[in-house]
Amino acid sequence: MQDSHKLIEADDTAIEAALAEAHVPSLINALVHLTGDVSLIRGSARPVSELFGDPQGGISEGDQTAIRARALEALAAYRDAGCPALPAPPMALVKEMVDFIVGRELDASYGDFLMSELKVFDEDPYRVPFDDVPEDLRRDFQVVVVGAGMSGILTAIKLKQAGISYTVVDKNANVGGTWFENRYPGCRVDSPNHTYSYSFAPNDWPQHFSRQNVLLGYFDRIATDFGIRDNIRLSTEVIEARYQDRKWHVKVHGENGEDTIVANAIVTAVGQLNRPKLPDIEGLGSFQGPAFHTAQWESEHDLEGKRIVVIGTGASAFQTVPEIAQVAERVTVFQRTPPWVAPRPEYHDAISDGKHWLLNHVPFYAKWFRFWMFWTTGEGLLSMVKRDPAWNETGRSISEANDQLRAMLTANVERMVGDDPDLFAKCVPAYPPAGKRMLVDNGHWFRALKRDNVELVTDPIARILPDGVLTESGRRVDADILVYGTGFHASRILFPMKIYGKDGVELRERWGADPRAYLGVVMPGYPNLFCCYGPNTNIVVNGSIIFFSECEVRYIMGCLKLLIANGRAEMNCRQDVHDAYNEKIDAGNLDMAWGSRNVSSWYKNENGRVTQNWPFTLLEFWQQTRAPEPGDYEFA
Ligand code: NAP
């Protein structure tokens, strides 16, 4: 088990001060590495990982004090010994430490998966080895990667490490994808940063949920550090790709006009949320002042003293309203459906000096902390959003656990705005928790809604006027600026590229409103075309989308190895394999909160089918995408 951390030079007082801020469950496991004392995880101080529970896992104050004192002693001794390399613990002990920190004995099937997250066997368990494939075969194989956001950068790094030739094309002027495009005030990551980062590139995050510029800086730096920049063509958009003579002919448009790249394979890494959607409201376009989408923020407008109308209360509007309300004269927020909001006290908190010190210096502490976040914000949540067929459904919850979640979240809304019954009524959703994306907040949103200059309006907009909006009840709201927080054309996956497969049929025409893929990655009839973040690979509550990308890219690299190492020109997913898989996905999604009939969201297409989400556990995605099964494909 590997770990890299800085040498300890701090004196006892500084160590003690840092330990006061420790996450004790992570510290206990780190102490087992440091001291070899297994009694630490076999005693009475045991964490429980409870939703919205105590961040210290319920470990008593007394036990916490004892652990911190023990840690001070151990860290001082480790420092005085010159910070020697620590021996790898036996596998059985690592499993015991995993069970300890998650608070229960996990099924054996979790073994390899969790060990891989912790990197027990390997520094990069998501890496597919290519050393056994002749170098010239790898060099002669050309891949086009579409998109230089989180998934595209990841794909490029893996291709470079494998020695495969590649070109990345991105429509934007720099790398970073969604973090390059979304610059609205208040934009920040809403998954914990210690899991929203590549497993092979941990970062010293300034905040638990860092701001957009920090995320952009991370991806920008990674592109430089891993040496992929020379292979990226920026400000260049893929117009179409045609599969002819067992090659992809990729037509691109850039600063120097049009050009065609011929490649053996394509990896699309364009995300699901990059084509802004404007609302279908009469009079759209008639507004005389600045009117723009959150993802196309026009920062040149001074918001001070302005009357601003915001349409939508999804994740983007939710983050921007509290910020713009601090400078605007008035903000009127039009809400069609309220979001469920999960309390997250540290949402805006900086990571303190003490926490930074622990993450950077205490051997294995950062690994266990990431693991704790991975578990408590990921796999551990899924059971609360799954339908119980025996539950008496009223449209408001789908199981007893989901109903308890509803009660917990409603109590939070009551704490925040319960003194204003009208506002409270507007803020409690009528659909089950996790029917739509659940948002996280430390009270910022609700405090904004209570400001004198903010109004939450549920009266629908009838039309947009040159100087404001008119509601269905006939009320006029004057505005200087109109902000569309109205989401993206998510179901139009790969839009607006045209991709013509083996039989010349364009992919989105074949899909219609119903994009489907096998494992979210491959489509029959479109050989050697691989998607990152394709159909049914989005998650609603459980985990970080970077985890999914790492699984997808490992699978794609496995596919490329099957092609290159065996001298095959083409691999085409079998239709029957694809269809059987999609049947399971559809049945699975009907069982989840987001599949509920009374929910409409960007997860569903116009026919109500969930086209975006993965309905099962993270473990299942990890297992199914671990390596391609050659029998799933026809080769040529
Ligand atoms: P969204 O979740 O699709 O929200 C769009 C909002 O606009 C909804 O409140 C929707 O209401 C409303 N709306 C749409 N058309 C409307 C109309 N004609 N009249 C009134 N309201 C209308 O879009 P988003 O907020 O941009 O978020 C999209 C996804 O991006 C999120 O789910 C998340 O995955 C991701 N995201 C992540 C972050 C982050 O990590 N920090 C931040 C932002 C976004 P209905 O609910 O009634 O449709």
Side-chain angles (χ1 to χ4, degrees):
M1 193 163 176
Q2 306 291 313
D3 189 51
S4 55
H5 52 88
K6 294 181 184 162
L7 295 186
I8 299 180
E9 286 164 354
D11 62 20
D12 287 13
T13 313
I15 298 175
E16 190 175 13
L19 285 169
E21 304 190 42
H23 179 246
V24 173
S26 305
L27 183 64
I28 295 175
N29 271 355
L31 268 179
V32 174
H33 289 278
L34 207 53
T35 63
D37 180 359
V38 292
S39 72
L40 286 158
I41 53 170
R42 292 180 186 164
S44 57
R46 304 188 74 83
V48 283
S49 62
E50 260 179 1
L51 188 64
F52 313 133
D54 175 10
Q56 295 290 10
I59 293 181
S60 72
E61 285 294 332
D63 283 336
Q64 285 189 40
T65 307
I67 297 292
R68 290 180 216 277
R70 178 77 194 275
L72 174 59
E73 201 181 290
L75 287 168
Y78 178 67
R79 175 200 58 204
D80 297 343
C83 302
L86 297 173
M91 267 306 284
L93 179 57
V94 178
K95 171 74 170 67
E96 200 179 335
M97 290 157 87
V98 167
D99 288 348
F100 168 78
I101 203 165
V102 304
R104 65 187 164 96
E105 194 171 333
L106 284 179
D107 190 282
S109 61
Y110 272 94
D112 285 358
F113 165 56
L114 296 179
M115 299 305 153
S116 129
E117 259 307 297
L118 276 161
K119 305 198 187 321
V120 174
F121 301 123
D122 191 344
E123 248 319 88
D124 189 358
Y126 291 94
R127 185 175 191 154
V128 175
F130 270 82
D131 316 343
D132 49 343
V133 180
E135 211 179 313
D136 55 332
L137 294 185
R138 291 184 262 147
R139 213 180 28 241
D140 291 347
F141 197 91
Q142 172 71 41
V143 180
V144 167
V145 181
V146 191
M150 177 272 286
S151 301
I153 291 172
L154 171 64
T155 309
I157 290 171
K158 299 294 172 175
L159 288 167
K160 182 182 163 88
Q161 288 170 344
I164 296 171
S165 300
Y166 67 95
T167 304
V168 184
V169 178
D170 195 295
K171 67 184 191 319
N172 292 333
N174 199 2
V175 301
T178 197
W179 299 108
F180 176 81
E181 289 174 10
N182 283 275
R183 290 158 186 253
Y184 55 82
C187 183
R188 61 172 66 232
V189 64
D190 66 2
S191 298
N193 248 162
H194 290 91
T195 57
Y196 190 88
S197 37
Y198 298 125
S199 65
F200 58 87
N203 192 41
D204 198 8
W205 296 108
Q207 294 184 304
H208 295 279
F209 299 82
S210 300
R211 290 180 180 277
Q212 169 266 337
N213 62 332
V214 175
L215 271 298
L216 180 59
Y218 173 74
F219 290 110
D220 197 47
R221 174 177 68 74
I222 297 282
T224 302
D225 288 357
F226 284 82
I228 58 166
R229 277 197 187 276
D230 289 349
N231 293 44
I232 304 178
R233 288 173 64 172
L234 295 168
S235 304
T236 304
E237 187 161 358
V238 172
I239 309 298
E240 65 166 49
R242 278 182 193 274
Y243 191 69
Q244 276 169 350
D245 306 325
R246 302 211 166 113
K247 291 267 172 68
W248 280 103
H249 299 254
V250 185
K251 195 190 281 183
V252 300
H253 188 275
E255 280 160 348
N256 300 324
E258 231 164 69
D259 168 18
T260 298
I261 310 172
V262 179
N264 303 83
I266 304 182
V267 179
T268 64
V270 296
Q272 293 186 356
L273 301 162
N274 69 353
R275 299 289 167 172
K277 186 176 175 183
L278 295 181
D280 185 13
I281 301 177
E282 208 185 318
L284 189 90
S286 69
F287 188 72
Q288 298 290 295
F292 47 86
H293 190 276
T294 46
Q296 294 166 331
W297 197 266
E298 295 180 4
S299 55
E300 65 271 29
H301 309 297
D302 183 4
L303 306 183
E304 199 167 331
K306 298 290 189 315
R307 296 160 306 171
I308 304 175
V309 159
V310 177
I311 305 177
T313 52
S316 304
F318 183 85
Q319 289 186 327
T320 209
V321 164
E323 303 305 316
I324 62 178
Q326 292 171 29
V327 289
E329 179 188 316
R330 175 155 46 83
V331 180
T332 312
V333 186
F334 281 86
Q335 172 180 278
R336 198 161 61 178
T337 319
W340 277 113
V341 178
R344 195 88 214 192
E346 76 277 29
Y347 183 45
H348 286 170
D349 290 355
I351 293 183
S352 63
D353 290 348
K355 286 190 172 119
H356 275 297
W357 189 88
L358 294 164
L359 289 163
N360 289 327
H361 293 86
V362 177
F364 297 101
Y365 176 83
K367 275 208 164 100
W368 287 108
F369 183 67
R370 175 181 158 98
F371 185 78
W372 168 270
M373 299 309 278
F374 177 81
W375 185 261
T376 54
T377 63
E379 210 70 331
L381 272 179
L382 210 56
S383 60
M384 303 194 87
V385 298
K386 192 171 163 64
R387 171 164 287 108
D388 172 1
W391 182 248
N392 182 17
E393 265 192 54
T394 57
R396 297 188 161 232
S397 59
I398 52 167
S399 69
E400 189 177 349
N402 190 250
D403 205 51
Q404 283 166 359
L405 179 57
R406 180 182 185 91
M408 245 189 288
L409 299 174
T410 306
N412 180 51
V413 183
E414 191 157 19
R415 261 193 308 278
M416 293 293 160
V417 298
D419 56 345
D420 181 342
D422 284 347
L423 186 57
F424 174 69
K426 287 177 186 170
C427 292
V428 179
Y431 58 87
K436 289 171 182 269
R437 174 136 174 115
M438 212 188 292
L439 307 180
V440 292
D441 189 36
N442 53 3
H444 202 51
W445 167 250
F446 292 113
R447 280 193 294 276
L449 296 184
K450 291 184 80 173
R451 288 175 70 105
D452 289 342
N453 67 337
V454 175
E455 187 188 0
L456 185 67
V457 179
T458 51
D459 187 8
I461 300 174
R463 61 175 291 127
I464 291 171
L465 306 169
D467 54 358
V469 298
L470 182 69
T471 72
E472 283 186 4
S473 71
R475 179 179 164 197
R476 270 184 81 104
V477 178
D478 295 336
D480 304 309
I481 296 176
L482 204 51
V483 174
Y484 300 111
T486 43
F488 300 87
H489 289 288
S491 272
R492 289 156 83 174
I493 290 180
L494 304 183
F495 174 79
M497 286 185 289
K498 300 258 184 217
I499 300 180
Y500 300 90
K502 222 168 146 59
D503 52 9
V505 178
E506 205 278 308
L507 179 56
R508 277 181 311 102
E509 268 172 33
R510 172 160 293 176
W511 274 339
D514 198 14
R516 289 166 189 265
Y518 175 52
L519 297 170
V521 178
V522 286
M523 289 72 56
Y526 297 82
N528 305 6
L529 170 67
F530 305 97
C531 294
C532 290
Y533 204 9
N536 295 108
T537 56
N538 185 62
I539 36 173
V540 183
V541 289
N542 53 323
S544 154
I545 202 67
I546 297 188
F547 166 81
F548 272 69
S549 292
E550 291 200 34
C551 290
E552 287 151 10
V553 174
R554 174 171 60 179
Y555 183 85
I556 293 167
M557 295 305 293
C559 290
L560 298 183
K561 187 165 179 181
L562 283 179
L563 284 168
I564 301 171
N566 300 314
R568 301 252 169 76
E570 170 179 308
M571 65 190 292
N572 189 17
C573 177
R574 278 173 39 197
Q575 188 72 47
D576 58 329
V577 170
H578 166 277
D579 293 351
Y581 169 84
N582 274 277
E583 268 179 40
K584 284 191 201 143
I585 287 285
D586 287 350
N589 273 320
L590 286 177
D591 261 356
M592 305 308 288
W594 48 86
S596 303
R597 278 195 199 86
N598 64 333
V599 174
S600 78
S601 70
W602 66 266
Y603 301 145
K604 291 180 176 175
N605 67 7
E606 59 202 44
N607 307 319
R609 175 179 172 261
V610 177
T611 50
Q612 313 300 122
N613 296 337
W614 170 253
F616 307 119
T617 60
L618 300 180
L619 168 69
E620 284 162 293
F621 195 73
W622 185 88
Q623 286 173 328
Q624 291 181 27
T625 54
R626 199 167 184 183
E629 172 55 57
D632 291 345
Y633 291 88
E634 288 148 1
F635 288 90

